[in-house]
Amino acid sequence: MAVGGGAVTVGGPAFVMWVSPTDEELVKKYNPELQKRSREGRYEREKEFDDFVMKLKKYSKSNKPIWAVQKDEENKAKEANIKAEKQSVLDEVKLRKEALRREAGLLVESSGSE
């Protein structure tokens, strides 16, 4: 019984490792187009993973749980995006007003007081 249990306990995972293909073997079975896309996207995926790990390391330095710090960072990023969008819209509106004033002849080019 013990020998049978040991064979299943040790032999099962060893058999799975022996039968499972490696990453290189899987990539070799791809068609050439998929291989090309996989190679092209590798750098971006690695960079994305590295960024994720760096963020986790940064979040782990806080006394708060990682998910709470991550949520706070997401909220800050959303607020910053909203502010940037709002500012760009305001700038665009200002440029349109100036263009309309120039067309109407109300804005003099040399005046820098506005």
Side-chain angles (χ1 to χ4, degrees), residues 42-55:
R42 176 176 286 169
Y43 176 74
E44 289 83 17
R45 286 191 308 273
E46 287 176 355
K47 181 162 177 33
E48 184 178 306
F49 180 75
D50 289 342
D51 292 342
F52 174 73
V53 170
M54 294 304 289
K55 284 181 182 179

Side-chain angles (χ1 to χ4, degrees), residues 3 15 19 25 27-29 32 37 40 43-44 57-58 61 67 77 79-80 82 89-91 93 103 112:
V3 171
F15 179 72
V19 172
E25 292 172 343
V27 170
K28 287 178 185 176
K29 291 182 181 180
R37 282 196 302 182
E40 288 173 354
Y43 176 74
E44 289 83 17
K57 286 180 182 180
K58 186 176 104 176
K61 292 179 183 177
W67 58 86
E79 288 176 9
I82 289 171
V89 168
L90 290 174
D91 291 343
V93 167
E103 287 178 14

